[in-house]
Amino acid sequence: MRFEDIDAGTAARRLVVEDSDWAQLTPAEAERLVTLFLAARRFEEKILQLDKLNLVHGPAHSSIGQEGAAAGCVAALPVDTLMNGTHRAHHQCVAKAVNAIYEAPRDGVLSARIRAELQGLMQEILGLSGGWTGGRGGSMHLRRADLGIMGTNAIVAGGIPIACGHAFAEKQRGSDKLMVTFFGDGAVHQGATHEAMNLAALYGLPMIFFLENNKYAVSMSVEQSTYQTELLTRPQGHGIASVKVDGMNPFAVWLAGRWAQNAIRQEGRPVLILAEVYRYYHQSSSIPGSAFGYRTREEEAEWKARDPWLFLQRELPARGILDEGRLAAIDQAVCEAIEAAAASCVEGSGSATRIRAELWPDASTVDAHLNSDMREFDDARFAEPEDFDAAEMEPMSYIEAIARTMGARMAEDERIYVFGEDVANMGGGTVGATRGLTDRFAGRLINTPITENGFCGLATGAALSGLKPVVELMYSDFFLVAGDQLLNQAGKIRHLFNGTASVPLVLRTRIPGLEGYGSQHSMDPAGVFALFPGWRIVAPSNAFDYVGLMNSALRCEDPVLVLEPQELHKRKTLVPKDLDYCIPLGRARRVREGRQITLLATLSMVELCVQVAEEMGVDAEVIDLRTLSQRDIDYDTISRSVRKTGRVAIVEQTTRGASLGALIADEIQRRDFDYLDQPVQRATGRWAPPVVSQALERAALAGADDVRQLIARMLAESGLPQQGEADAVRA
């Protein structure tokens, strides 16, 4: 027996600076690099001063010691490069903002535009209304899209899949823009990082993964975090070429940035730069890490001796690129601008320094920008079945409506892309939801690997960059794998960034129902998504509603969850042939009129409620809720019905714990308590999730017997006529 080495064919190298390389750095480029570095350094120093005065609410993750890497990378790239980062991103954002509008300091002063952006960033970190996003983002969530700063992220590695989406959108548009995503050594161990690297390599995305290895994730060293401490093995495993560079040498990182740009242009593939850096202080304070015992004073002193500012002050004059006087003048201009930015935020001095009261955001705006203002629907054609003549309609199954609606809208809007596992295979995906689309829209149906967190994050970034992604989750429960990207990212971004960003993402989820897929493939996710007010939720119960609600979802500028019960797939409904109409988000529909009881139903339970009411001869009013996001539920229609019948029940097929009904019941009792003749009732499945056994599955989910028992109980408790007696009541 013998073994042969396998060459993966992906380069992982260390960048070594040679004396001849310095010829590439002109005085003008050196001034830019120094300005970016000093702006980041002095900005961070001022933030720490304000933090000591208890003026920074929340964490302020200092990057002092690491600025040379960010400044070197950003200075080497085109000014229109896009970026995002993680929670420790002040230095990256300062460098990117200054680079995007760079002008060399003149007469000891930075330009008015640069000064204004530094002021806006400082006000943002302090939570003030004049900040980049009105103070909502604070230190960890920074966005200034006009300058290419697409949003930093408090979740370690949370922004990396989103960066893939930005790069994907730029590639599809034929843009030359690059995307750089900054992250630390702690993020290397997150699954999101590997999913993003795999997607970037698979799709050939124009992006730079920039890894700042500062040796510690809070207090845990790299050696405590992983057996394989050579972090370049990670991109190598995904087929991404990488270089390691001394991040305390800004010029070396500048060279790495130039290499990365050229490599992407020539190879059409992503790259990774690993910069070895050091943060001088603890996680979020001005106290050194040695005070907490996880590193030594000697180690800190060794790294501080390699400070990037000391390096620039030594090397640039020695090589005749910039003299000491010019370096001092740049520093003076930067310091003046930083002091002015701080002065715009505070008043008083010393321990009496305080935030200017007039700069706090108006508390009444707390709920502003949770969702779109819906102006995108100003020219929409809204319609219901009765608005069409019989000649305009044709029978169509639910599954046909899915594919045909998507095809109609993709033909009109080239921004629509469909992502999901197998969506471009098997002639229409796993259930036929994309039938006929693959050939018509080549390149816009994107097969994804089994990486829900990764491709949902990619879709989020693509939506932020102006595409209209439609994500198909093969089964609804899989949203849990992508929970961070869907709920913590896509659902919060508009509000977090104060309406400066929108995520027009459509998420299609299949609910198997009584199909024997077991408890890990059968969840109705509406109750979970309803907890996040950034999401819209639509629940089409037939093909006509599917077309109208999907058209609205594709028009909406918010993320929209579309629920697709598998047991409805083959049911046919009359649908307009042109498929060109919308159903308003937030409008329920009365599908059966009655005066005894109001039944609020969703999805497959709508038709079931109608059938049971007919069978029992009960004068029940059945309302199809259609929209399930909490702020969109049509309580006007519900109230009109409840005030007529005096009795209401919410009917859902899903299990008790996953039910949305408790929230609806609470709201009805708040609005219509005086009109209720008995408490709001609910019909749901049991507490247990459905398992594969057919008998137990049917017991777990609500069915016709549950609806019959509910109606009979309500009638008995109220003394109303029961089965067979309702006709006499009507007469």
Side-chain angles (χ1 to χ4, degrees):
M1 180 176 64
R2 67 187 181 88
F3 297 94
E4 295 181 351
D5 290 339
I6 296 175
D7 181 5
T10 303
R13 298 169 292 183
R14 179 182 293 278
L15 186 150
V16 179
V17 179
E18 299 177 337
D19 282 346
S20 59
D21 294 327
W22 285 93
Q24 300 178 50
L25 189 68
T26 67
E29 289 167 330
E31 282 200 5
R32 178 188 291 264
L33 174 56
V34 170
T35 304
L36 268 57
F37 169 78
L38 284 173
R41 170 62 62 90
R42 302 309 181 210
F43 188 93
E44 286 284 62
E45 289 172 345
K46 178 55 65 176
I47 290 296
L48 284 184
Q49 290 175 19
L50 295 171
D51 189 46
K52 287 181 180 179
L53 295 170
N54 293 318
L55 298 178
V56 180
H57 186 61
H61 297 93
S62 166
S63 58
I64 293 179
Q66 301 183 197
E67 313 96 329
C73 176
V74 170
L77 300 176
V79 295
D80 64 356
T81 298
L82 307 178
M83 66 145 283
N84 72 359
T86 184
H87 59 286
R88 192 182 308 281
H90 300 165
H91 58 315
Q92 298 151 6
C93 292
V94 170
K96 182 67 180 76
V98 173
N99 194 57
I101 53 176
Y102 176 76
E103 297 177 39
R106 295 182 180 178
D107 302 322
V109 179
L110 294 183
S111 73
R113 288 190 69 195
I114 292 176
R115 292 163 60 86
E117 292 303 335
L118 292 173
Q119 176 177 309
L121 176 55
M122 189 164 290
Q123 291 205 13
E124 181 63 33
I125 290 171
L126 295 179
L128 308 181
S129 59
W132 280 355
T133 54
R136 292 187 178 185
S139 172
M140 296 187 290
H141 321 91
L142 302 170
R143 176 178 167 86
R144 187 67 161 161
D146 290 348
L147 304 181
I149 301 168
M150 307 310 290
T152 64
N153 207 292
I155 303 299
V156 173
I160 305 178
I162 295 173
C164 290
H166 291 299
F168 181 91
E170 295 303 327
K171 180 175 180 178
Q172 297 306 312
R173 281 195 286 261
S175 162
D176 289 331
K177 289 183 182 179
L178 303 176
M179 178 74 202
V180 56
T181 183
F182 291 95
F183 56 100
D185 50 278
V188 170
H189 314 303
Q190 281 276 26
T193 303
H194 294 275
E195 293 188 28
M197 286 185 183
N198 182 54
L199 291 171
L202 181 65
Y203 301 144
L205 301 182
M207 63 185 295
I208 300 169
F209 293 87
F210 196 97
L211 167 54
E212 291 181 327
N213 181 7
N214 66 19
K215 315 300 180 184
Y216 297 91
V218 186
S219 67
M220 282 191 64
S221 67
V222 172
E223 290 74 17
Q224 289 177 305
S225 301
T226 181
Y227 175 78
Q228 176 51 271
T229 58
E230 178 47 78
L231 302 184
L232 287 191
T233 57
R234 277 54 164 191
Q236 190 176 39
H238 294 288
I240 297 176
S242 58
V243 297
K244 182 183 294 186
V245 63
D246 178 5
M248 309 302 278
N249 177 344
F251 174 62
V253 185
W254 185 85
L255 291 172
R258 290 295 174 94
W259 163 81
Q261 180 182 351
N262 292 333
I264 293 171
R265 300 285 191 235
Q266 293 172 11
E267 303 295 331
R269 298 184 56 74
V271 298
L272 181 141
I273 299 171
L274 187 158
E276 295 182 307
V277 295
Y278 200 77
R279 58 173 167 84
Y280 294 165
Y281 300 108
H282 182 56
Q283 172 78 346
S284 178
S285 74
S286 57
I287 303 171
S290 56
F292 298 89
Y294 63 85
R295 59 191 191 193
T296 65
R297 293 182 180 179
E298 291 75 19
E299 177 184 307
E300 291 170 343
E302 290 174 4
W303 280 94
K304 285 187 177 182
R306 297 172 54 196
D307 187 86
W309 184 219
L310 296 177
F311 174 88
L312 292 170
Q313 289 177 298
R314 180 180 69 247
E315 293 295 331
L316 294 179
R319 296 178 184 278
I321 300 174
L322 292 178
D323 60 30
E324 291 89 344
R326 186 56 185 156
L327 292 175
I330 296 172
D331 198 7
Q332 178 184 350
V334 167
C335 287
E336 188 277 334
I338 299 300
E339 289 299 328
S344 76
C345 303
V346 301
E347 57 189 6
S349 60
S351 59
T353 304
R354 60 184 180 274
I355 299 292
R356 296 177 183 270
E358 70 273 14
L359 299 181
W360 292 114
D362 183 350
S364 68
T365 65
V366 64
D367 281 344
H369 303 300
L370 282 167
N371 296 108
S372 163
D373 61 9
M374 306 297 276
R375 68 182 62 183
E376 61 267 33
F377 287 92
D378 285 350
D379 61 346
R381 175 197 182 195
F382 294 118
E384 297 290 353
E386 56 269 20
D387 298 323
F388 298 92
D389 295 332
E392 299 177 88
M393 309 282 269
E394 64 177 328
M396 185 181 300
S397 71
Y398 197 97
I399 194 65
E400 289 172 331
I402 296 175
R404 289 179 59 178
T405 307
M406 191 59 57
R409 302 291 79 81
M410 291 181 76
E412 297 173 346
D413 190 345
E414 63 182 11
R415 298 173 302 159
I416 299 175
Y417 285 74
V418 179
F419 297 87
E421 296 154 14
D422 300 304
V423 294
N425 288 350
M426 298 185 292
T430 55
V431 295
T434 54
R435 182 170 292 121
L437 303 183
T438 305
D439 294 335
R440 288 179 63 194
F441 306 106
R444 290 168 58 193
L445 271 70
I446 311 298
N447 280 331
T448 64
I450 303 175
T451 53
E452 283 82 6
N453 198 50
F455 66 72
C456 287
L458 187 152
T460 297
L464 281 167
S465 275
L467 297 187
K468 279 273 190 177
V470 177
V471 174
E472 176 185 300
L473 288 184
M474 192 177 293
Y475 293 97
S476 53
D477 304 65
F478 297 175
F479 87 88
L480 294 167
V481 182
D484 177 56
Q485 292 301 324
L486 294 174
L487 305 177
N488 212 19
Q489 308 289 343
K492 294 181 178 179
I493 280 173
R494 177 187 288 274
H495 181 261
L496 177 61
F497 293 132
N498 201 28
T500 66
S502 60
V503 185
L505 165 70
V506 175
L507 178 67
R508 294 179 37 242
T509 59
R510 174 159 52 118
I511 304 174
L514 298 168
E515 297 290 334
Y517 277 90
S519 63
Q520 295 179 338
H521 282 67
S522 302
M523 181 181 184
D524 181 342
V528 175
F529 277 81
L531 301 177
F532 295 83
W535 276 90
R536 312 272 188 176
I537 307 170
V538 297
S541 64
N542 56 73
F544 180 94
D545 282 4
Y546 189 93
V547 174
L549 290 170
M550 176 54 83
N551 285 338
S552 292
L554 289 169
R555 182 180 284 259
C556 187
E557 289 297 314
D558 292 320
V560 182
L561 172 67
V562 182
L563 304 173
E564 299 175 359
Q566 188 166 330
E567 63 187 282
L568 297 182
H569 279 189
K570 296 181 180 180
R571 288 189 191 173
K572 291 196 172 185
T573 310
L574 291 176
V575 174
K577 297 174 183 177
D578 66 4
L579 305 177
D580 188 17
Y581 62 94
C582 292
I583 292 174
L585 301 181
R587 181 181 295 173
R589 178 173 173 80
R590 185 178 65 187
V591 297
R592 185 180 191 271
E593 187 173 1
R595 292 186 173 276
Q596 285 184 311
I597 297 174
T598 298
L599 300 178
L600 307 180
T602 66
L603 300 169
S604 59
M605 303 304 282
V606 174
E607 185 174 330
L608 183 64
C609 283
V610 172
Q611 291 174 353
V612 171
E614 296 288 347
E615 291 170 4
M616 296 181 69
V618 174
D619 193 18
E621 184 145 295
V622 179
I623 294 175
D624 184 349
L625 292 175
R626 299 202 295 195
T627 308
L628 302 181
S629 28
Q630 284 195 64
R631 298 173 75 218
D632 296 322
I633 291 173
D634 187 356
Y635 286 107
D636 290 340
T637 295
I638 293 171
S639 290
R640 284 194 297 271
S641 181
V642 169
R643 295 180 183 194
K644 177 175 60 174
T645 66
R647 299 162 189 83
V648 61
I650 304 149
V651 182
E652 301 169 274
Q653 184 185 53
T654 190
T655 57
R656 191 79 170 176
S659 166
L660 183 62
L663 297 173
I664 300 173
D666 175 74
E667 189 68 23
I668 291 172
Q669 294 190 131
R670 291 174 188 276
R671 292 170 179 256
D672 301 311
F673 181 81
D674 290 341
Y675 297 89
L676 290 170
D677 294 331
Q678 62 185 137
V680 179
Q681 303 294 310
R682 294 167 59 202
T684 69
R686 307 304 184 266
W687 289 107
V691 292
V692 173
S693 168
Q694 188 177 69
L696 294 175
E697 179 184 63
R698 291 187 179 277
L701 298 175
D705 286 344
D706 298 281
V707 178
R708 291 189 192 96
Q709 292 170 16
L710 170 74
I711 293 174
R713 184 173 68 250
M714 292 180 71
L715 294 177
E717 291 174 356
S718 62
L720 288 172
Q722 297 194 35
Q723 184 169 353
E725 301 176 14
D727 291 338
V729 172
R730 287 197 183 101

